[in-house]
Amino acid sequence: MTKTAAPYIPQIRLYQQWLEKRHGLRFDDFEALWRWSVDEPEAFWMSLWEHDAIDSPVPPTVALEDATMPGAKWFPGTQVNYAQRVLRHAEAAQRAGQPAIISDNELGEARELPWPELQRQVASFALTLRELGVGRGDRVAAYLPNVPETIVAFLACASIGAIWSVCAPDMGAQAVTDRFQQIAPKVLIAADGVYYAGKAIDRADTVAALRAALPTVEKLIVLQSAHSRGLPTADLTYAQATARDDEATRTFLPEWLPFDHPLWVVYSSGTTGLPKPLVHGHGGIITIVAAIGKHNDIGPSYAPNSFGERFHWYSSTGWIMWNTQVAGLLDGATICLFDGSPGGGKEAPDWTVLWRFAARHQVTYFGAGAAFYANCMKAGVDIAACGDLTRIRALGSTGSPLSEDVQRWGTEQFAHIGTPDIWWNNLSGGTDFAGIFVGGHRELPNEPGVMQCRAIGHAVEAWNEQGQAVTGEVGELVCSKPVPSMPLFFWGDQGNARYLSSYFDVYPGVWRHGDWIKVNDNGSCVIYGRSDATINRHGLRMGTSEIYAAVEALPEVLDSMVIDLEYLGRASRMVLFVVLREGFTLDAALTARIQGAIKTALSPRFIPDDILQAPEIPRTLSGKKQEVPIKKLFLGQPIDKVVNREAMANPQCVPWYVAQAEAPTAG
């Protein structure tokens, strides 16, 4: 196969051609299409259902019955199933000789999973879950890496109406427990070991600790690895759960479920309390993938227009981009998984790992966090030396703003190997609604540092402090109309209290996302990072409260505050301020202990770039840490504009923070 094996007419162009032919709708430019999609939500979302041939034994009569946010009612009476939507591609893809999943890892253990085998394993696992007493609405928690087995387990859960939730094995036991305890899982599926950054990591003790901390777990299924010294006490192994190959597996069909039946629980951390357990529905995810698929431009591997499509987006299972990677199967694409470190080990950094993986497996669509590309540029990576990458037609980036310099570097790299003007699909969305607000378009200008357009069906605007939409100015990113993948609810959230306070407390009835955005006159956008105090490290979000819990558990630390300085064109910088007990100073040993506490409780990703010993943590009269004002101060705003000293409990500490912000290393 060569890079010209398929025409790759953009999916959004095919959709527009269909709209004109089927409904007589013709749009002069993309902005007109976008405007129609948000002004006429009923017609737009119903057209997507029809165009993408979404299956339901009961056809829809209305797309949006109630537009109230939160709580919008979509496609009432219809029945869908995520797993059914994936497995519908099996026969056609198998006939065309296209595998479902290609996987590889740091040890070079490459595997291919054909569609019929994916189908059989999903059926076997689903039947096993039923035998274990798992049914509709039961939660199944998974502590698994980015391997095909995780996808099989997820699709098995989806197929019988069980609710899936996964955490990555790089997360510490407490962080995982804080998430899973909220949803009271019936079954735990866990890997006993992983291999990452050149090291085998035994997770048997962590798995045992998780089971002990989750009293509702009735059964433990263990994915065995070569990286564990001892098997946790398991009720079943993954191999046993997927061993069936009989009439029952051959005739197994996923259950039809109500459109709003819960599919999974994902977690997005806020600035206070436990991580938010967000529940998304089968129908909402299926429908949103239909919409954003027009922007992401991923087609079936067996279709003439996208023949041989191989979609890779580097992710851990703890990032929403894992869900995006899996959604490639909804589109009928072959997905390519890499399990391991994208940058080699600490002792031997190597930022060519993913490029060599992409060359080895003929990836056509390569996605990663913006920080990955920045690291490649800093490391002086030459992709021409990484194998044949001429099949790559698109580069995806998300997680944080991609700087102009990095995008230009990547474009030049691909020009050198004979792919001029490589398309960058720069995305901005969120775990919160498992989708994108701003994304790419194959036919629009691809300007470095700028995202091409707002997603169709998403009424995204920049609002000023008066709640007015502005153009050409930085404002709060809001979505003024519902989209199907917004959370059904937060698990255990009485009266939607956390849901409302997370997104609707500033503008009632309007989703405020917590990002700074500028919408340009031509509809392109620039994202400037978080407008709240949530920590965003390469796309993974963590609440500041989780960091405080880890740090302040140390006896030397009295108080702490963390800020994440993330803005376009500069590397993210995370600063942790600590107040120590009398007689202690922040020496190298204590710094290492603080770093170790964060690494153990949360993840190495959340180790701060700087740790500073502070005289006091600034607090309001009600005792709240002033994270957002101090963040704004460090981002260059005048102190008198961001801090009201009269509302502070300890205004005497402000000059110290001003001095730190003005220090040469502050920005």
Side-chain angles (χ1 to χ4, degrees):
M1 289 186 286
T2 67
K3 68 178 179 181
T4 56
Y8 285 114
I9 299 168
Q11 297 295 323
I12 200 162
R13 174 57 48 201
L14 295 175
Y15 170 62
Q16 284 190 246
Q17 291 171 354
W18 177 87
L19 281 174
E20 183 174 6
K21 183 177 180 180
R22 179 80 176 181
H23 295 287
L25 293 168
R26 183 181 179 88
F27 302 98
D28 293 334
D29 54 24
F30 173 76
E31 194 68 7
L33 171 65
W34 177 82
R35 177 56 61 189
W36 168 77
S37 75
V38 297
D39 287 349
E40 304 290 340
E42 181 68 26
F44 167 69
W45 292 105
M46 195 65 89
S47 79
L48 274 184
W49 184 288
E50 184 184 359
H51 175 268
D52 282 47
I54 296 174
D55 296 312
S56 170
V58 181
T61 56
V62 61
L64 182 56
E65 184 178 60
D66 182 352
T68 304
M69 284 194 287
K73 302 296 182 186
W74 294 93
F75 295 98
T78 59
Q79 296 177 320
V80 295
N81 189 294
Y82 186 108
Q84 181 275 336
R85 188 81 181 150
V86 166
L87 296 173
R88 71 193 168 103
H89 297 290
E91 190 175 333
Q94 181 66 10
R95 277 201 311 267
Q98 301 296 329
I101 303 173
I102 294 170
S103 62
D104 209 338
N105 58 26
E106 291 182 27
L107 299 173
E109 297 167 337
R111 296 182 287 162
E112 281 195 7
L113 187 63
W115 279 93
E117 181 61 8
L118 173 65
Q119 205 163 21
R120 185 200 66 77
Q121 290 188 23
V122 168
S124 178
F125 206 111
L127 292 169
T128 298
L129 288 173
R130 278 183 181 164
E131 290 173 355
L132 295 177
V134 176
R136 290 192 185 190
D138 289 330
R139 277 77 63 208
V140 175
Y143 185 62
L144 295 170
N146 187 29
V147 292
E149 290 85 349
T150 308
I151 295 174
V152 168
F154 159 59
L155 292 175
C157 289
S159 70
I160 62 171
I163 304 170
W164 168 262
S165 191
V166 64
C167 284
D170 69 348
M171 297 178 70
Q174 189 59 53
V176 178
T177 301
D178 285 346
R179 287 156 173 77
F180 288 165
Q181 275 185 342
Q182 296 185 71
I183 65 168
K186 194 170 190 176
V187 171
L188 175 64
I189 311 166
D192 63 7
V194 292
Y195 192 92
Y196 191 87
K199 294 180 180 178
I201 304 170
D202 190 339
R203 282 287 183 249
D205 290 345
T206 306
V207 174
L210 287 176
R211 184 165 196 182
L214 300 170
T216 60
V217 168
E218 298 175 8
K219 301 293 181 182
L220 170 63
I221 301 174
V222 171
L223 175 61
Q224 294 174 279
S225 73
H227 314 305
S228 177
R229 293 183 300 276
L231 180 69
T233 304
D235 298 287
L236 209 62
T237 65
Y238 174 90
Q240 291 170 328
T242 54
R244 290 186 67 164
D245 187 4
D246 53 20
E247 187 63 21
T249 57
R250 285 187 286 276
T251 58
F252 175 82
L253 292 173
E255 299 179 19
W256 291 113
L257 302 167
F259 185 92
D260 59 359
H261 185 80
L263 172 63
W264 59 46
V265 181
V266 293
Y267 305 90
S268 183
S269 298
T271 55
T272 58
L274 291 169
K276 297 176 290 189
L278 306 149
V279 183
H280 298 129
H282 279 252
I285 296 301
I286 289 170
T287 312
I288 210 66
V289 169
I292 65 179
K294 308 299 178 284
H295 292 277
N296 291 343
D297 197 46
I298 299 163
S301 301
Y302 55 86
N305 181 63
S306 47
F307 192 85
E309 185 85 286
R310 292 192 171 185
F311 171 52
H312 165 71
W313 200 297
Y314 177 77
S315 180
S316 76
T317 52
W319 188 20
I320 198 63
M321 295 313 294
W322 177 82
N323 306 67
T324 299
Q325 171 81 92
V326 176
L329 295 173
L330 282 177
D331 295 317
T334 297
I335 63 172
C336 300
L337 313 178
F338 183 81
D339 180 33
S341 168
K346 282 188 177 180
E347 294 77 17
D350 180 5
W351 289 97
T352 69
V353 169
L354 289 184
W355 298 115
R356 290 186 284 107
F357 158 81
R360 181 179 183 183
H361 299 294
Q362 297 184 305
V363 166
T364 59
Y365 191 118
F366 182 98
F372 167 78
Y373 298 105
N375 282 315
C376 289
M377 183 182 78
K378 292 173 186 175
V381 167
D382 177 11
I383 68 166
C386 298
D388 182 4
L389 292 167
T390 58
R391 287 262 296 153
I392 293 179
R393 64 182 186 87
L395 296 172
S397 173
T398 192
S400 56
L402 183 72
S403 73
E404 296 180 35
D405 289 347
V406 174
Q407 182 165 331
R408 289 194 182 94
W409 168 84
T411 300
E412 290 168 3
Q413 286 284 315
F414 274 84
H416 291 157
I417 64 169
T419 309
D421 303 318
I422 186 81
W423 175 52
W424 285 89
N425 182 25
N426 298 327
L427 312 174
S428 182
T431 299
D432 321 70
F433 64 106
I436 63 169
F437 280 139
V438 182
H441 189 304
R442 281 263 309 282
E443 298 177 327
L444 292 178
N446 216 187
E447 181 184 347
V450 178
M451 295 179 177
Q452 290 172 293
C453 60
R454 290 170 284 186
I456 50 175
H458 295 66
V460 171
E461 295 173 324
W463 280 18
N464 61 20
E465 292 182 358
Q466 287 73 46
Q468 301 164 328
V470 293
T471 302
E473 299 177 26
V474 177
E476 285 274 6
L477 192 164
V478 304
C479 189
S480 60
K481 295 182 180 180
V483 295
S485 62
M486 286 176 175
L488 300 171
F489 51 89
F490 288 11
W491 196 269
D493 183 21
Q494 295 296 320
N496 275 343
R498 291 189 77 192
Y499 194 174
L500 289 165
S501 65
S502 295
Y503 308 108
F504 301 102
D505 60 338
V506 176
Y507 310 113
V510 173
W511 179 289
R512 183 187 71 97
H513 193 56
D515 280 342
W516 298 121
I517 186 174
K518 180 173 70 174
V519 180
N520 296 317
D521 291 337
N522 64 358
S524 65
C525 301
V526 179
I527 299 288
Y528 292 93
R530 301 298 298 166
S531 62
D532 60 20
T534 304
I535 304 300
N536 181 349
R537 297 295 270 180
H538 318 315
L540 287 176
R541 291 174 63 188
M542 184 70 72
T544 54
S545 61
E546 296 187 78
I547 294 173
Y548 300 149
V551 172
E552 294 172 17
L554 296 172
E556 301 92 337
V557 179
L558 282 175
D559 205 357
S560 63
M561 183 177 72
V562 67
I563 57 175
D564 182 19
L565 307 177
E566 181 201 34
Y567 31 87
L568 187 68
R570 305 189 195 180
S572 170
R573 178 171 168 247
M574 182 174 158
V575 183
L576 174 67
F577 304 98
V578 292
V579 178
L580 303 180
R581 294 185 185 277
E582 191 173 348
F584 289 94
T585 56
L586 188 64
D587 56 16
L590 181 52
T591 298
R593 287 193 64 203
I594 293 171
Q595 292 170 335
I598 294 170
K599 179 179 179 181
T600 300
L602 304 174
S603 165
R605 296 170 188 262
F606 295 96
I607 293 175
D609 297 293
D610 297 298
I611 304 177
L612 302 176
Q613 184 174 351
E616 293 179 271
I617 297 304
R619 291 182 179 272
T620 63
L621 291 172
S622 61
K624 292 183 179 179
K625 298 180 184 183
Q626 296 203 287
E627 298 156 321
V628 172
I630 297 302
K631 175 178 177 174
K632 290 179 177 178
L633 171 66
F634 273 69
L635 289 175
Q637 296 190 35
I639 185 64
D640 293 329
K641 291 284 183 72
V642 299
V643 170
N644 177 7
R645 287 178 171 86
E646 293 182 1
M648 288 184 65
N650 52 351
Q652 66 276 7
C653 72
V654 168
W656 185 88
Y657 285 90
V658 172
Q660 296 300 317
E662 292 174 349
T665 58

mmCIF file of all heavy atoms in Angstrom, residues 9 57 129 198 214 228 244 286 362 383 406 446 489:
data_model
loop_
_atom_site.group_PDB
_atom_site.id
_atom_site.type_symbol
_atom_site.label_atom_id
_atom_site.label_comp_id
_atom_site.label_asym_id
_atom_site.label_seq_id
_atom_site.Cartn_x
_atom_site.Cartn_y
_atom_site.Cartn_z
ATOM 1 N N ILE A 9 -11.409 11.526 0.209
ATOM 2 C CA ILE A 9 -12.274 12.704 0.159
ATOM 3 C C ILE A 9 -12.724 12.976 1.588
ATOM 4 O O ILE A 9 -13.160 12.065 2.287
ATOM 5 C CB ILE A 9 -13.502 12.449 -0.738
ATOM 6 C CG1 ILE A 9 -13.059 12.146 -2.175
ATOM 7 C CG2 ILE A 9 -14.460 13.645 -0.710
ATOM 8 C CD1 ILE A 9 -14.178 11.610 -3.048
ATOM 9 N N PRO A 57 -34.195 -0.499 16.586
ATOM 10 C CA PRO A 57 -35.421 -1.216 16.219
ATOM 11 C C PRO A 57 -36.648 -0.313 16.232
ATOM 12 O O PRO A 57 -37.655 -0.614 15.590
ATOM 13 C CB PRO A 57 -35.523 -2.317 17.290
ATOM 14 C CG PRO A 57 -34.683 -1.860 18.426
ATOM 15 C CD PRO A 57 -33.597 -1.032 17.832
ATOM 16 N N LEU A 129 -19.547 -12.540 32.103
ATOM 17 C CA LEU A 129 -20.068 -11.531 33.028
ATOM 18 C C LEU A 129 -21.495 -11.863 33.447
ATOM 19 O O LEU A 129 -21.863 -11.732 34.625
ATOM 20 C CB LEU A 129 -20.007 -10.144 32.386
ATOM 21 C CG LEU A 129 -18.619 -9.512 32.226
ATOM 22 C CD1 LEU A 129 -18.710 -8.222 31.423
ATOM 23 C CD2 LEU A 129 -17.973 -9.237 33.592
ATOM 24 N N GLY A 198 10.779 1.158 30.169
ATOM 25 C CA GLY A 198 11.910 0.249 30.300
ATOM 26 C C GLY A 198 11.919 -0.577 31.558
ATOM 27 O O GLY A 198 12.914 -1.266 31.841
ATOM 28 N N LEU A 214 -12.625 -1.929 48.023
ATOM 29 C CA LEU A 214 -13.884 -1.887 47.280
ATOM 30 C C LEU A 214 -14.790 -3.024 47.758
ATOM 31 O O LEU A 214 -14.842 -4.098 47.148
ATOM 32 C CB LEU A 214 -13.611 -2.008 45.774
ATOM 33 C CG LEU A 214 -12.737 -0.915 45.152
ATOM 34 C CD1 LEU A 214 -12.351 -1.274 43.727
ATOM 35 C CD2 LEU A 214 -13.458 0.432 45.193
ATOM 36 N N SER A 228 4.625 -9.591 36.892
ATOM 37 C CA SER A 228 4.231 -9.715 38.287
ATOM 38 C C SER A 228 4.879 -10.946 38.910
ATOM 39 O O SER A 228 4.990 -11.996 38.272
ATOM 40 C CB SER A 228 2.705 -9.822 38.397
ATOM 41 O OG SER A 228 2.310 -10.007 39.732
ATOM 42 N N ARG A 244 -14.373 -19.098 25.671
ATOM 43 C CA ARG A 244 -15.516 -19.774 25.033
ATOM 44 C C ARG A 244 -15.515 -19.606 23.522
ATOM 45 O O ARG A 244 -15.253 -18.523 22.990
ATOM 46 C CB ARG A 244 -16.840 -19.251 25.596
ATOM 47 C CG ARG A 244 -17.103 -19.673 27.017
ATOM 48 C CD ARG A 244 -18.486 -19.260 27.471
ATOM 49 N NE ARG A 244 -19.552 -19.960 26.775
ATOM 50 C CZ ARG A 244 -20.824 -20.001 27.216
ATOM 51 N NH1 ARG A 244 -21.144 -19.388 28.349
ATOM 52 N NH2 ARG A 244 -21.755 -20.635 26.539
ATOM 53 N N ILE A 286 -22.525 7.520 20.671
ATOM 54 C CA ILE A 286 -22.661 7.117 19.267
ATOM 55 C C ILE A 286 -22.948 8.336 18.393
ATOM 56 O O ILE A 286 -22.353 8.512 17.317
ATOM 57 C CB ILE A 286 -23.781 6.067 19.121
ATOM 58 C CG1 ILE A 286 -23.345 4.734 19.732
ATOM 59 C CG2 ILE A 286 -24.170 5.885 17.655
ATOM 60 C CD1 ILE A 286 -24.482 3.719 19.855
ATOM 61 N N GLN A 362 2.260 1.013 9.528
ATOM 62 C CA GLN A 362 1.650 1.750 8.416
ATOM 63 C C GLN A 362 0.461 2.606 8.860
ATOM 64 O O GLN A 362 -0.601 2.625 8.237
ATOM 65 C CB GLN A 362 1.219 0.779 7.311
ATOM 66 C CG GLN A 362 2.393 0.022 6.691
ATOM 67 C CD GLN A 362 1.953 -0.850 5.532
ATOM 68 O OE1 GLN A 362 1.066 -1.682 5.671
ATOM 69 N NE2 GLN A 362 2.562 -0.646 4.377
ATOM 70 N N ILE A 383 12.218 12.567 11.860
ATOM 71 C CA ILE A 383 11.306 11.468 11.552
ATOM 72 C C ILE A 383 11.739 10.689 10.314
ATOM 73 O O ILE A 383 11.342 9.530 10.137
ATOM 74 C CB ILE A 383 9.848 11.945 11.413
ATOM 75 C CG1 ILE A 383 9.663 12.813 10.168
ATOM 76 C CG2 ILE A 383 9.371 12.658 12.665
ATOM 77 C CD1 ILE A 383 8.193 13.018 9.812
ATOM 78 N N VAL A 406 6.059 24.541 17.330
ATOM 79 C CA VAL A 406 6.008 23.077 17.278
ATOM 80 C C VAL A 406 5.263 22.615 16.028
ATOM 81 O O VAL A 406 5.688 21.675 15.349
ATOM 82 C CB VAL A 406 5.351 22.515 18.554
ATOM 83 C CG1 VAL A 406 5.157 21.006 18.440
ATOM 84 C CG2 VAL A 406 6.210 22.836 19.770
ATOM 85 N N ASN A 446 -4.803 25.872 7.436
ATOM 86 C CA ASN A 446 -4.176 25.203 8.574
ATOM 87 C C ASN A 446 -3.077 26.107 9.138
ATOM 88 O O ASN A 446 -1.898 25.924 8.884
ATOM 89 C CB ASN A 446 -3.592 23.862 8.115
ATOM 90 C CG ASN A 446 -3.700 22.760 9.146
ATOM 91 O OD1 ASN A 446 -3.172 21.687 8.977
ATOM 92 N ND2 ASN A 446 -4.397 23.004 10.238
ATOM 93 N N PHE A 489 -25.626 12.463 34.068
ATOM 94 C CA PHE A 489 -25.592 12.888 35.461
ATOM 95 C C PHE A 489 -24.218 12.566 36.015
ATOM 96 O O PHE A 489 -23.408 11.934 35.337
ATOM 97 C CB PHE A 489 -26.682 12.181 36.299
ATOM 98 C CG PHE A 489 -26.704 10.680 36.162
ATOM 99 C CD1 PHE A 489 -25.929 9.868 36.991
ATOM 100 C CD2 PHE A 489 -27.509 10.066 35.200
ATOM 101 C CE1 PHE A 489 -25.947 8.486 36.871
ATOM 102 C CE2 PHE A 489 -27.535 8.668 35.076
ATOM 103 C CZ PHE A 489 -26.751 7.885 35.904
#
